[in-house]
């Protein structure tokens, strides 16, 4: 039962995809980024998630990015590969391809286009078929802000019994839902938080870690938060959480991927442009981001 | 200025894609359907729209379906091909490919995954780039129920000035928005209704026609509605509208594509299964659909 | 069966409540307004609706306003009095008081605070109790923009069988819902549109008239629209509809009651201030309103 | 500066209003309930909140209930009185009356009917006027599930500078918002959680306590949760939180006030009926509630 054995404990960076000004993949710059992230206190990487602009990449591009990250990650780090596709059959096939490209686990967002039809039954059937086909453990990925679909707790509980489903990334900052999932799912089912802004609340109710956009630029303060929490120093954990909360709102929620990439550029990573239809940040927005980074000591 | 010259007047059937039980394309059955639709009072066909399950098809499958419908349609009928892709560059490239596959115009849904970033500026830039690249006129496709994005009136007004943007399919049953678009867009910009349930209200404020799922099974009563409206017989138009309103709600809204395909099966077309993650209708639902078809005289 | 006998055909002005700068009732100014509206082509008045700021008035103030309007209206005009209260018992009691104060019918908005509990069963029970108690016919008032509650079609159909429920004011600009209600309700059940922006679409599917904020300042163009529609001159009706659509969006939707009162001030009525928590319009907004009035010929 | 001096630390029960079968106030039964709650580990009571069915009571009934609870509460317990009114002037006047009736502080929900107009400026002006008038400290009450209004963080931050505004009850289970409010408001501004389901997450980011419907029936386990949290025993706090999470979802969210009252009846309090338009729970629902109470050891 591979799903039950993979530990997801810790902080994962959902890595952005590096593009040039002509929107082509810049794989060397991506590899460089991974080598730098290897120096940071991270449990691993997520490739081909929302921050990776997966809906804007072709299938082949997604696999290329996957191979680069899997090839560059340092030993012991887990790579979770995005296998999200609207069609269930395509997602099952993608899970196989992503695993072959080096992923230790795959993560699959709820189907999103036919949101009105994504009943609990449809979601359970989708994930079960993907998990049956996947050679590596599967994570459910709930992301209502992008999908307009919010997988019900009961569906997650049912899926938690599948031997090849290891856990869920719950992107809602809703600790009640996280708590209820932990309560209703099989023991050992792993919940990962999806936002640095609610990382401590999620840990408090039992999340084992997080896939956090902010981990791309602030792995150390996030690690300090998690270490403080684990060691029972709740006051330090709260301070760390509140110190990061505005930066997270600014960089990842307000300006989204373009903002995250701008911050990466300021911190010595390759951020670069986003792919259209996404638009870049203005220079005023860039200055606001620079100020927020300075305020939490990420830049001098 | 091709966009300004293409007349979109009339009723278009957004054709479903024919699958077998193994989810593979059934192109012969699709071709048969088109030959039957050729006998119905329709202005043309839309291929690769939401009813065509485009997000569940590969790029190559979408082009195959396009070629079949373009090849089978009778002379004088317009074929509008779906070129929707999340990435702007991919949508522009798809518009070229879809036109080469036989489309007289292309229709492009608003990008949907990064819905929080789909500002008016992002949407205008997306469509302008697609329209610049497309060899045939472009229609904007607004479909908030699936995308979670509602293109603002001002963005449509701006896009209506582009010489290669012919019109919009507005799927919201919101005659106020349609009226305001007609008021604010360049004269000659064509608005198509997106639901048979609000076809008469849309015509009343100036829509020139509709892309209506119900046209796949009820082209004649829809044609009667439009003829009555055009000839000023509003009482007959209202009766025709109200006669269809419950069937439309049932088949296309409540049971969606699976319901439409079930109805097609009952009426001698090839409906067949939907692709997963969509699920089929139950036999109880099938009976409900059968009853609704009988009530409006579509079955004996 | 009084509900079945009262004709609601035509255009009703939902009259604003006149306040002074100290927020006190200005009943003389209200009376003056009514005498001017008596010269306009209106079927009657609605008192104590959303435009009347009823939630900001005490029960006694609401009755005072009711008495003034009932006393001043010219013969033959119908006065519909708002009896909306959160508590069902209070609404039933208010219906009696409002009728005693001169209302020919009462209108009751769906209860709004406990919106999550306002099931079809709760709404049917609410209206049935009010209608049982009311000495005059009752209108259902659906206003999701304010209440967060959207009464289901099936509940309206059930309520239409009550002998003392005459009709519904449906404020959603959703002609599909209006059409389906007309289809499902008892014959003779009267639907009134709730917005001038979708008046023609509502008439097209069978509404008998409207309670339109814009009727306070633009009764004549609205009357021309309805006359054109009734006489089958759809082109003229459409022109009239589109001519008013932007003014309606600006005055009643964008700036709401404060905007409507500002427009009234410009047109020789007493508009005056709104009650807090509502805020007045700025002088820039006032100029925008002035321009919109001029554009449709309401000011010279 | 009274607002700055009142400590809100701890757990408050938002007491339901006791009605008989004829919907009249049952003040003796209410008094009995208060005397029993006096034996429970509570910091105080909230009167006239959403759980108190305040929108279904007359002004005079609300004051009667206030006087009973203030008269019965044991020494040292804080009574917070609801002064919510749609009109700002009426809310200011109500704050005075509620304080005279015995409240140590007043709590005022955001105005709710004209939700589209409740801008940050309107909300700040509303609370400032109430706080200027109130003889006792004021709490902001954010309750989007009922009001459809979500007060922005910036507005709360601005209001936190008012010398007579002591804190906020934030009913959203959104620890990010709570954290950001604590970060942006003046030091000493007190945030109370609004749901037992997210009590621990709220405490984790800095809330000082909670106004929790569940405190009416489960004050002891909630107290154990808070004590465990305060003493740094996070594992015990998490267990206590997860133990209560399903009961809270069932009793207060799923069945709302009727469910809470049913549970009170089972636990020896006077619960009694709700006022219409609210409806009671069915006997099947009652059994479900009984089972949930037994599961957490509240009944034998």
């Amino acid at each position: 039962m591979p799903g039950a054995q993979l530990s997801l404990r810790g902080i994962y960076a959902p890595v952005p995809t590096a593009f040039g000004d002509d929107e082509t993949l810049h794989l060397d710059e991506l590899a460089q980024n991974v080598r730098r992230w290897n120096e940071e206190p991270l449990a691993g990487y997520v490739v081909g998630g929302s921050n990776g602009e997966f809906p804007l990449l072709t299938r082949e591009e997604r696999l290329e990015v996957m191979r680069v990250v899997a090839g560059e990650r340092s030993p012991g780090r887990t790579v979770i590969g995005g296998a999200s596709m609207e069609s269930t059959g395509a997602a099952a096939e993608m899970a196989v391809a992503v695993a072959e490209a080096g992923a230790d686990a795959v993560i699959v967002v709820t189907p999103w286009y036919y949101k009105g039809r994504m009943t609990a039954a449809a979601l359970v059937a989708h994930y079960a078929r993907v998990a049956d086909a996947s050679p590596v453990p599967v994570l459910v990925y709930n992301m209502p802000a992008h999908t307009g679909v919010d997988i019900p707790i009961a569906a997650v509980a049912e899926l938690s019994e599948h031997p090849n489903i290891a856990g869920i990334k719950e992107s809602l900052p809703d600790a009640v839902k996280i708590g209820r999932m932990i309560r209703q799912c099989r023991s050992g089912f792993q919940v990962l938080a999806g936002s640095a802004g609610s990382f401590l609340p999620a840990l408090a109710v039992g999340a084992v870690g997080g896939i956090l956009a902010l981990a791309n630029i602030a792995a150390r303060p996030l690690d300090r938060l998690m270490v403080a929490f684990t060691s029972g120093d709740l006051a330090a954990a709260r301070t760390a959480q509140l110190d990061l909360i505005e930066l997270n709102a600014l960089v990842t929620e307000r300006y989204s991927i373009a903002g995250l990439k701008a911050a990466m550029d300021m911190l010595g990573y390759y951020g670069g442009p986003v792919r259209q239809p996404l638009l870049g940040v203005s220079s005023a927005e860039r200055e606001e981001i620079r100020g927020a980074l300075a305020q939490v000591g990420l830049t001098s």
Side-chain angles (χ1 to χ4, degrees), chain A:
Chain A
M1 289 202 291
Q5 284 166 358
L6 179 77
S7 166
L8 296 169
R9 181 153 213 90
I11 297 167
Y12 295 79
V15 308
T17 300
F19 299 114
D21 286 335
D22 58 355
E23 296 201 353
T24 56
L25 287 188
H26 272 33
L27 297 176
D28 289 348
E29 287 78 354
L30 174 64
Q32 264 183 304
N33 282 346
V34 177
R35 289 193 292 270
R36 262 203 67 180
W37 284 317
N38 282 338
E39 309 298 316
E40 299 292 314
L42 292 165
Y45 309 109
V46 174
V47 179
S50 301
N51 276 288
E53 297 174 60
F54 86 86
L56 308 180
L57 272 60
T58 64
R59 182 179 175 283
E60 185 46 42
E61 286 177 327
R62 288 166 67 179
L63 295 175
E64 281 186 82
V65 169
M66 182 66 227
R67 282 187 286 262
V68 167
V69 177
E72 296 291 342
R73 52 87 180 266
S74 52
R77 303 221 158 177
T78 301
V79 180
I80 303 169
S84 304
M85 301 290 272
E86 274 285 357
S87 144
T88 306
E93 185 272 343
M94 189 68 170
V96 175
V98 165
E100 278 169 10
D104 303 306
V106 294
I107 186 165
V108 178
V109 80
T110 59
W112 56 100
Y113 193 78
Y114 296 106
K115 44 184 67 61
R117 313 303 300 166
M118 289 303 102
T119 57
L123 292 168
V124 166
H126 178 77
Y127 282 108
R129 181 167 159 195
V130 173
D132 286 347
S134 175
V136 295
V138 173
L139 276 82
V140 176
Y141 177 16
N142 194 50
M143 185 34 146
H146 289 325
T147 63
V149 173
D150 183 10
I151 190 167
I153 295 170
V156 178
E158 186 175 344
L159 288 168
S160 77
E161 303 294 334
H162 192 289
N164 203 27
I165 297 182
I168 185 170
K169 177 190 178 187
E170 175 56 67
S171 297
L172 287 180
D174 179 348
V176 180
K177 190 183 177 194
I178 293 177
R180 295 185 68 193
M181 285 196 295
I182 288 170
R183 191 82 184 173
Q184 293 183 29
C185 289
R186 72 159 164 81
S187 167
F189 186 74
Q190 301 170 86
V191 178
L192 293 170
S195 167
S198 54
F199 192 34
L200 174 58
L203 293 172
V205 292
V208 300
I211 300 175
L212 310 171
L214 209 62
N216 287 295
I217 56 169
R220 278 163 213 219
L222 284 165
D223 180 61
R224 282 196 294 270
L225 189 168
M226 191 161 174
V227 167
F229 172 82
T230 307
S231 67
D233 185 352
L234 202 57
R238 181 184 314 138
T239 300
Q241 175 66 82
L242 295 185
D243 280 353
L244 291 171
I245 208 162
E246 292 299 329
L247 176 66
N248 187 64
L250 186 70
V251 173
T252 69
E253 289 165 31
R254 183 140 156 224
Y255 299 129
S256 191
I257 303 169
L260 176 61
K261 287 186 163 179
M264 287 174 65
D265 281 328
M266 293 170 202
L267 295 171
Y269 293 93
Y270 180 85
V274 287
R275 244 188 205 178
Q276 215 184 330
L278 296 177
L279 301 181
V281 293
S282 70
S283 49
E285 291 166 346
R286 201 173 288 271
E287 286 320 299
E288 194 183 2
I289 291 167
R290 195 182 303 279
L293 291 173
Q295 208 157 20
V296 300
L298 286 170
T299 55
S300 47

